[in-house]
Amino acid sequence: MTLLHTPPHALPADWHGAAPAPIGVDQAFNGYVAATVVHTLDRLGVWDRLAAEPRLDIHDFVRSAGPAVRERVVREVLRAAAVCGWLRLEDGGDTAVLTDAGRETVRMRGYFTWAVGGYSDVFSGAARLASGEATFGDTLLRDEAMVALGSGQNDRSFMSTTLDDVLDGVDFHTLADLGSGISARVSRVVGARPGTRGLGLDISGPATELGHRTIAEAGLADRVKAVRADVLDVCHREAHRDAIAEVDTVMSFFLLHDLLADPGTRPHLFTRLREAFPAARTFVLADTMLRPDAEGSASLPVFSLGYELAHALMGVPLHTKETYEELFAAAGLHAVRTVPFGTPHSWLYVLEAR
């Protein structure tokens, strides 16, 4: 089996396919500012309040948010959101009303949590990375908790229904979620399936701490555990060996590109994954993959450019769908179902071990 489909992080410099229409300077600048507005309103809890009740009394909201919250600043951010068309300000500017465009923004807010909350320092530090003044993972970091939170928001908005449909056809007793973030997904899946158990495994300490809270709030502390661990080495940790031995189904979402980053271990990744979970016979795996050269889209989809640039800046290569499928086959994993999965160029596989 040859594994030749390992292109660079983004489209090659001599690529001659159909390019998207140029982004205007006004779109670029206003989009940058607008993205910070989306994220700010999410962190303040405004979007949650408006999703529950599409009319918001601004003064009452600020009063209920706590004594440290500055009403003047909140009003200015809401005014910017109104300029973007996501809100209408009524009653002399004292009431914010969610528009149809605002409802779509609420649904898509996970992208902004991921980008603005998780990767803003990485994007703004690109010049320092290029000049050698900064190194990712040392002097320049992403916010892992925000990356995990954004992924969880996107999961609830437009991935959970697809996943539920896929998992309806999977018989499992103990489920391990690799790169589980805040353990929202594994909690939801196990919570909906009486008699099952789950493990949320993530290398991030902040995400794991949020995971403990997520599990407790779901009332699942007796059935789901959040574990901070390297997913490929967890089987060697005595504290979790018994739990790992019971895992019959492994799922992982948007982690595989990180695990595939090392070219030395890449060809054997899924073999190692099978060895880490020896009782597992079903693997439900999803990832966002490199845009194909021949896509020829007239416009850029949401997320793709940011995803590609962020990983290029971090030194993490991305791979095509063909590469993933070659690697699955080399590890004896047979795809029984393949479906598009939420974000652009993302695919969800159900694989059975041969």
PDB file of all heavy atoms in Angstrom, residues 115-128:
ATOM      1  N   ALA A 115     -12.262  30.249  16.275  1.00  0.00           N
ATOM      2  CA  ALA A 115     -11.289  31.135  15.629  1.00  0.00           C
ATOM      3  C   ALA A 115     -10.867  32.288  16.532  1.00  0.00           C
ATOM      4  O   ALA A 115      -9.672  32.496  16.780  1.00  0.00           O
ATOM      5  CB  ALA A 115     -11.859  31.673  14.321  1.00  0.00           C
ATOM      6  N   VAL A 116     -11.837  33.060  17.018  1.00  0.00           N
ATOM      7  CA  VAL A 116     -11.517  34.244  17.813  1.00  0.00           C
ATOM      8  C   VAL A 116     -11.087  33.842  19.223  1.00  0.00           C
ATOM      9  O   VAL A 116     -10.099  34.350  19.751  1.00  0.00           O
ATOM     10  CB  VAL A 116     -12.725  35.203  17.866  1.00  0.00           C
ATOM     11  CG1 VAL A 116     -12.370  36.446  18.681  1.00  0.00           C
ATOM     12  CG2 VAL A 116     -13.161  35.595  16.462  1.00  0.00           C
ATOM     13  N   GLY A 117     -11.829  32.929  19.829  1.00  0.00           N
ATOM     14  CA  GLY A 117     -11.484  32.510  21.173  1.00  0.00           C
ATOM     15  C   GLY A 117     -10.270  31.606  21.224  1.00  0.00           C
ATOM     16  O   GLY A 117      -9.427  31.728  22.110  1.00  0.00           O
ATOM     17  N   GLY A 118     -10.180  30.695  20.262  1.00  0.00           N
ATOM     18  CA  GLY A 118      -9.123  29.690  20.313  1.00  0.00           C
ATOM     19  C   GLY A 118      -7.837  30.064  19.605  1.00  0.00           C
ATOM     20  O   GLY A 118      -6.739  29.758  20.081  1.00  0.00           O
ATOM     21  N   TYR A 119      -7.951  30.737  18.445  1.00  0.00           N
ATOM     22  CA  TYR A 119      -6.776  30.914  17.592  1.00  0.00           C
ATOM     23  C   TYR A 119      -6.394  32.364  17.310  1.00  0.00           C
ATOM     24  O   TYR A 119      -5.509  32.612  16.494  1.00  0.00           O
ATOM     25  CB  TYR A 119      -6.997  30.200  16.259  1.00  0.00           C
ATOM     26  CG  TYR A 119      -6.784  28.706  16.346  1.00  0.00           C
ATOM     27  CD1 TYR A 119      -7.857  27.847  16.492  1.00  0.00           C
ATOM     28  CD2 TYR A 119      -5.507  28.156  16.296  1.00  0.00           C
ATOM     29  CE1 TYR A 119      -7.672  26.473  16.585  1.00  0.00           C
ATOM     30  CE2 TYR A 119      -5.301  26.794  16.383  1.00  0.00           C
ATOM     31  CZ  TYR A 119      -6.392  25.951  16.521  1.00  0.00           C
ATOM     32  OH  TYR A 119      -6.196  24.595  16.610  1.00  0.00           O
ATOM     33  N   SER A 120      -7.024  33.332  17.976  1.00  0.00           N
ATOM     34  CA  SER A 120      -6.722  34.730  17.642  1.00  0.00           C
ATOM     35  C   SER A 120      -5.252  35.077  17.872  1.00  0.00           C
ATOM     36  O   SER A 120      -4.643  35.807  17.079  1.00  0.00           O
ATOM     37  CB  SER A 120      -7.620  35.679  18.447  1.00  0.00           C
ATOM     38  OG  SER A 120      -7.443  35.484  19.837  1.00  0.00           O
ATOM     39  N   ASP A 121      -4.653  34.554  18.935  1.00  0.00           N
ATOM     40  CA  ASP A 121      -3.237  34.840  19.183  1.00  0.00           C
ATOM     41  C   ASP A 121      -2.342  34.209  18.110  1.00  0.00           C
ATOM     42  O   ASP A 121      -1.320  34.789  17.727  1.00  0.00           O
ATOM     43  CB  ASP A 121      -2.812  34.305  20.557  1.00  0.00           C
ATOM     44  CG  ASP A 121      -3.346  35.156  21.704  1.00  0.00           C
ATOM     45  OD1 ASP A 121      -3.863  36.261  21.437  1.00  0.00           O
ATOM     46  OD2 ASP A 121      -3.265  34.705  22.858  1.00  0.00           O
ATOM     47  N   VAL A 122      -2.747  33.035  17.617  1.00  0.00           N
ATOM     48  CA  VAL A 122      -1.965  32.375  16.576  1.00  0.00           C
ATOM     49  C   VAL A 122      -2.047  33.167  15.275  1.00  0.00           C
ATOM     50  O   VAL A 122      -1.023  33.433  14.619  1.00  0.00           O
ATOM     51  CB  VAL A 122      -2.452  30.931  16.354  1.00  0.00           C
ATOM     52  CG1 VAL A 122      -1.682  30.268  15.212  1.00  0.00           C
ATOM     53  CG2 VAL A 122      -2.280  30.113  17.643  1.00  0.00           C
ATOM     54  N   PHE A 123      -3.259  33.594  14.897  1.00  0.00           N
ATOM     55  CA  PHE A 123      -3.406  34.357  13.662  1.00  0.00           C
ATOM     56  C   PHE A 123      -2.678  35.701  13.759  1.00  0.00           C
ATOM     57  O   PHE A 123      -1.965  36.103  12.830  1.00  0.00           O
ATOM     58  CB  PHE A 123      -4.883  34.593  13.352  1.00  0.00           C
ATOM     59  CG  PHE A 123      -5.624  33.350  12.931  1.00  0.00           C
ATOM     60  CD1 PHE A 123      -6.898  33.079  13.420  1.00  0.00           C
ATOM     61  CD2 PHE A 123      -5.062  32.442  12.044  1.00  0.00           C
ATOM     62  CE1 PHE A 123      -7.591  31.942  13.034  1.00  0.00           C
ATOM     63  CE2 PHE A 123      -5.743  31.310  11.649  1.00  0.00           C
ATOM     64  CZ  PHE A 123      -7.010  31.052  12.143  1.00  0.00           C
ATOM     65  N   SER A 124      -2.858  36.408  14.867  1.00  0.00           N
ATOM     66  CA  SER A 124      -2.217  37.720  14.995  1.00  0.00           C
ATOM     67  C   SER A 124      -0.706  37.593  15.159  1.00  0.00           C
ATOM     68  O   SER A 124       0.034  38.548  14.898  1.00  0.00           O
ATOM     69  CB  SER A 124      -2.802  38.492  16.181  1.00  0.00           C
ATOM     70  OG  SER A 124      -2.522  37.839  17.407  1.00  0.00           O
ATOM     71  N   GLY A 125      -0.244  36.401  15.553  1.00  0.00           N
ATOM     72  CA  GLY A 125       1.184  36.173  15.707  1.00  0.00           C
ATOM     73  C   GLY A 125       1.853  35.569  14.499  1.00  0.00           C
ATOM     74  O   GLY A 125       3.017  35.141  14.580  1.00  0.00           O
ATOM     75  N   ALA A 126       1.149  35.526  13.364  1.00  0.00           N
ATOM     76  CA  ALA A 126       1.719  34.891  12.163  1.00  0.00           C
ATOM     77  C   ALA A 126       3.033  35.540  11.737  1.00  0.00           C
ATOM     78  O   ALA A 126       3.973  34.856  11.315  1.00  0.00           O
ATOM     79  CB  ALA A 126       0.701  34.937  11.020  1.00  0.00           C
ATOM     80  N   ALA A 127       3.128  36.863  11.833  1.00  0.00           N
ATOM     81  CA  ALA A 127       4.373  37.539  11.442  1.00  0.00           C
ATOM     82  C   ALA A 127       5.520  37.121  12.350  1.00  0.00           C
ATOM     83  O   ALA A 127       6.654  36.918  11.889  1.00  0.00           O
ATOM     84  CB  ALA A 127       4.178  39.053  11.485  1.00  0.00           C
ATOM     85  N   ARG A 128       5.256  36.988  13.644  1.00  0.00           N
ATOM     86  CA  ARG A 128       6.305  36.567  14.573  1.00  0.00           C
ATOM     87  C   ARG A 128       6.704  35.117  14.334  1.00  0.00           C
ATOM     88  O   ARG A 128       7.865  34.753  14.484  1.00  0.00           O
ATOM     89  CB  ARG A 128       5.839  36.761  16.019  1.00  0.00           C
ATOM     90  CG  ARG A 128       5.724  38.236  16.410  1.00  0.00           C
ATOM     91  CD  ARG A 128       5.449  38.416  17.882  1.00  0.00           C
ATOM     92  NE  ARG A 128       4.122  37.945  18.235  1.00  0.00           N
ATOM     93  CZ  ARG A 128       3.849  37.130  19.246  1.00  0.00           C
ATOM     94  NH1 ARG A 128       4.836  36.650  19.994  1.00  0.00           N
ATOM     95  NH2 ARG A 128       2.605  36.780  19.511  1.00  0.00           N
TER      96      ARG A 128
END
